[in-house]
Amino acid sequence: PLRERRALLERLVPVVPCHVELTELHRIAPGGDAEQRTQELVDRVLARGEEGLVAKDAASPYEPNARHWCKIK
């Protein structure tokens, strides 16, 4: 699952500023204010001139050539 892959990356990948960095990670649980929090993140990344967000299910498996995510532009 994504949460396990991310934890492994955080533990094993040495950060080299401006060369090797992990992306920002924001966890938003479904329901409640999820839509508002997602919109705030989209607005923030677009204001910084970035392309958008990638939304993933934290329990999603890794499968080569499969997409278990949604890109929000």
Side-chain angles (χ1 to χ4, degrees):
L2 172 65
R3 66 176 65 93
E4 292 174 19
R5 296 190 315 271
R6 178 66 185 220
L8 186 64
L9 285 170
E10 289 173 350
R11 199 172 72 242
L12 298 176
V13 175
V15 172
V16 180
C18 300
H19 294 283
V20 178
E21 299 182 48
L22 297 176
T23 59
E24 289 181 31
L25 178 66
H26 299 271
R27 290 185 174 94
I28 300 176
D33 64 347
E35 186 174 337
Q36 177 184 346
R37 291 187 60 206
T38 302
Q39 186 62 55
E40 289 169 358
L41 285 171
V42 170
D43 294 343
R44 189 179 322 155
V45 299
L46 294 178
R48 293 191 306 218
E50 297 170 356
E51 189 174 333
L53 298 175
V54 174
K56 299 180 179 184
D57 180 344
S60 65
Y62 173 76
E63 295 179 55
N65 301 315
R67 298 289 179 256
H68 296 282
W69 48 266
C70 174
K71 191 164 196 175
I72 303 168
K73 293 184 169 190

